[in-house]
């Protein structure tokens, strides 16, 4: 159950961080306006709190593991939101990152 909770928190974090960054990008770079950018800033701020709910108490471990989710989530967001089509190397790299995330976050540890 802890793995499911942890995975769900990683998904929420990715939606907030990647979505927030995308909103800022749209607001500034695509000239959609300050409200888009402000929404992005709020989402990025909310993202900052999500990691605190991870079951693991080690900040460095949680953020390092989240990096793998961020990589895969960014490619997925680009495909859905912007029509970007990842190639086989993008997909392979994302899978490597997710495997690394799983090892970092969920490998059995003795006492810590």
């Amino acid at each position: 159950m802890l793995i499911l909770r942890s995975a769900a928190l990683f998904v929420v974090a990715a939606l907030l961080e990647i979505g927030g960054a995308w909103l800022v990008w749209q607001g500034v770079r695509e000239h959609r306006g300050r409200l888009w950018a402000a929404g992005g800033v709020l989402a990025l701020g909310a993202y900052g709190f999500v990691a605190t709910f991870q079951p693991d108490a080690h900040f460095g471990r949680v953020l390092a593991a989240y990096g793998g989710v961020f990589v895969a989530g960014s490619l997925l967001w680009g495909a859905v939101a912007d029509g970007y089509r990842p190639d086989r190397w993008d997909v392979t790299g994302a899978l490597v990152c997710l495997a690394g995330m799983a090892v970092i976050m969920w490998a059995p540890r003795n006492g810590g």
Side-chain angles (χ1 to χ4, degrees):
M1 205 60 177
L2 284 178
I3 290 176
L4 288 176
R5 178 176 179 224
S6 178
L9 286 167
F10 279 137
V11 169
V12 171
L15 288 172
L16 289 169
E17 184 183 20
I18 298 164
W22 185 81
L23 286 169
V24 171
W25 180 286
Q26 293 299 310
V28 175
R29 194 162 173 141
E30 301 298 327
H31 309 290
R32 294 203 174 176
R34 291 180 181 168
L35 286 178
W36 284 70
V41 168
L42 290 173
L44 288 165
Y47 150 76
F49 287 93
V50 173
T52 66
F53 299 111
Q54 280 289 346
D56 192 294
H58 298 92
F59 175 82
R61 179 179 295 149
V62 169
L63 267 287
Y66 170 69
V69 177
F70 178 81
V71 169
S74 295
L75 291 172
L76 182 60
W77 188 283
V80 171
D82 290 327
Y84 172 72
R85 295 293 171 237
D87 64 20
R88 64 183 173 158
W89 299 112
D90 293 328
V91 173
T92 300
L95 291 173
V96 168
C97 289
L98 289 173
M101 178 277 302
V103 169
I104 290 168
M105 196 66 189
W106 303 319
R109 291 184 166 81
N110 294 329

